[in-house]
Amino acid sequence: MRPRDARSRPRCWTGERTRRRVRSGRTAREAHWDTTRYVAGTLVLFVHVAGPLTTLDGVRWLYVATWALRVPAFALLAGYFSDAGPLTPRGLRALMLPIVVPYLAVGLLHTLERRWATGEWRLFLDEPAWAMWFLLSLLCWRLALPYLARLRHPLALAVGAALCAGFLPADVGGTLQLSRTLCFLPFFLLGWRLREGLLARPMRAEWSRFAALAVLGTVFVAAWPLRDEVRPAWLQMRLPYETPSEVLIRVCVLLVGAAVTLSFVRLVPRRRLPFVTYLGAGGMYIYLLHPLALRLLTHAGIDYAWVGPWPEQAALLALAALLAAALASPPVRLLTRPIIQPARPRRRPPPPDRRDRPTAPTPTTPDAAR
């Protein structure tokens, strides 16, 4: 099945076929997705900040309850803004530049920071640095999308690949993060299908708002008694199955994750939210820069011994939100834009054809005029 032409494509659930253009020629940002980016980025940062505190009930509960609002949400966002058109040489260059440059540049920063903090050299190329695996997976997803879009049921195929990824040996599944690339591919394709018009009417219907509230409420309530039963490996999906029965667990993880992610996207307001939406434009800055910031804080001797009961855990979440706001702030974005969002080369206009050049008018003689 070939991807449909953009003019015949049904409206996506946000009500827009394409992103609007402002008078300056730049693409107008969609407030709904910027807000989603900020919330997802803040939750990713909080989980990494609270990594040593997973024995605390509140942190463990939030880790389980918000899993689908973090990396699955980022994967869905990446799919929503991906193009399934044919890969021309120019398109391939435009696809790889915003992924390869941040991967290499931020990986180099990890190498230098690690050298400064521990005194050892380590290059992050085939084995990505902390949280950088997502860029490798994103590159694979976007390269494969034009070919997956031609299939009749690409989403079902992606789910099957995610289930089979658990049978890969650890050394194979860990190479270039192949296991997680396959396991989060369904969320990427789900985002792309949303852009193509999947679930357009249900996502705009009023009843879906209440259904989304019910889904999120049920998950947050159920996550409390299950906080110690859910293994982190089931949600990270980077290691092989320990028992064949874990296939059923992964099916449940994917289905619940898709339902929670869609519910989260449905409930995010479409209008601009003060402060939050503006910072959400730097969602990728939060994701890529926060490991560097956390390593600096750890090297500076900041620990989490003060975190104990619920109020202190809530304070840690507030501090994570402040750090996310700092990383997405205009000064940080301006300083790191060359490596996080490298400028794409401008398209040169084609040279004029000689046949299209205006020719001098033929002089008219009196005889010819007759």
Side-chain angles (χ1 to χ4, degrees):
M1 180 180 64
R2 297 181 179 272
R4 290 168 291 186
D5 183 75
R7 290 172 296 182
S8 62
R9 184 182 304 166
R11 289 181 180 268
C12 60
W13 74 273
T14 55
E16 298 181 359
R17 285 193 181 97
T18 57
R19 304 182 71 184
R20 295 178 291 108
R21 297 276 177 178
V22 295
R23 291 182 179 179
S24 62
R26 295 182 179 180
T27 303
R29 302 196 64 92
E30 298 179 31
H32 172 268
W33 297 111
D34 283 342
T35 304
T36 305
R37 285 187 186 94
Y38 180 75
V39 176
T42 301
L43 290 174
V44 169
L45 192 152
F46 171 76
V47 167
H48 288 166
V49 166
L53 305 174
T54 52
T55 55
L56 299 177
D57 288 338
V59 173
R60 184 69 176 232
W61 166 72
L62 199 61
Y63 175 85
V64 174
T66 64
W67 168 76
L69 313 185
R70 301 193 303 267
V71 175
F74 267 113
L76 185 141
L77 278 165
Y80 187 85
F81 291 101
S82 294
D83 185 13
L87 289 176
T88 62
R90 182 180 296 274
L92 184 62
R93 185 165 57 253
L95 181 150
M96 296 187 66
L97 181 66
I99 299 177
V100 174
V101 171
Y103 180 81
L104 296 177
V106 178
L108 179 60
L109 291 179
H110 277 277
T111 297
L112 297 177
E113 188 181 60
R114 191 181 182 92
R115 169 66 178 176
W116 170 73
T118 64
E120 64 173 308
W121 287 102
R122 183 180 178 185
L123 293 176
F124 298 96
L125 294 177
D126 60 331
E127 183 179 353
W130 185 11
M132 295 293 291
W133 68 269
F134 186 82
L135 289 182
L136 279 181
S137 298
L138 179 59
L139 179 61
C140 296
W141 295 335
R142 286 185 171 171
L143 288 175
L145 181 58
Y147 306 100
L148 292 173
R150 296 177 179 273
L151 302 178
R152 184 173 297 274
H153 302 292
L155 194 55
L157 179 64
V159 172
L163 299 179
C164 294
F167 295 102
L168 295 174
D171 53 346
V172 176
T175 303
L176 298 178
Q177 301 298 312
L178 177 59
S179 180
R180 283 197 282 196
T181 299
L182 293 175
C183 290
F184 287 98
L185 176 60
F187 297 99
F188 175 83
L189 288 178
L190 180 59
W192 171 70
R193 291 291 288 125
L194 285 179
R195 189 70 175 188
E196 293 289 304
L198 180 69
L199 302 177
R201 290 184 179 179
M203 292 291 279
R204 289 198 300 265
E206 186 64 25
W207 62 264
S208 64
R209 185 188 304 273
F210 300 101
L213 283 171
V215 170
L216 289 182
T218 301
V219 169
F220 273 75
V221 171
W224 177 254
L226 296 176
R227 65 189 184 280
D228 294 324
E229 304 298 330
V230 177
R231 299 179 185 177
W234 294 347
L235 305 180
Q236 296 169 357
M237 297 189 290
R238 63 179 179 181
L239 297 176
Y241 299 134
E242 294 182 0
T243 61
S245 62
E246 290 189 2
V247 177
L248 299 178
I249 296 177
R250 180 160 296 182
V251 171
C252 296
V253 168
L254 293 175
L255 291 178
V256 174
V260 174
T261 306
L262 289 174
S263 299
F264 168 55
V265 169
R266 176 63 181 88
L267 292 177
V268 172
R270 301 184 194 179
R271 66 182 185 278
R272 293 185 61 86
L273 299 181
F275 187 73
V276 173
T277 301
Y278 177 74
L279 293 176
M284 190 54 68
Y285 291 79
I286 300 173
Y287 186 89
L288 295 180
L289 296 178
H290 82 270
L292 297 169
L294 294 183
R295 189 180 285 119
L296 285 176
L297 294 177
T298 301
H299 185 72
I302 298 178
D303 57 19
Y304 307 103
W306 58 275
V307 180
W310 279 89
E312 296 169 357
Q313 297 175 39
L316 183 63
L317 178 60
L319 291 176
L322 290 177
L323 180 57
L327 294 176
S329 62
V332 175
R333 275 192 268 176
L334 181 64
L335 180 64
T336 59
R337 181 173 289 119
I339 64 173
I340 303 298
Q341 289 182 322
R344 298 182 180 181
R346 294 183 178 180
R347 184 176 181 180
R348 296 181 179 179
D353 192 351
R354 291 185 178 181
R355 293 174 296 180
D356 297 334
R357 295 180 181 177
T359 58
T362 304
T364 304
T365 63
D367 294 337
R370 295 175 186 174

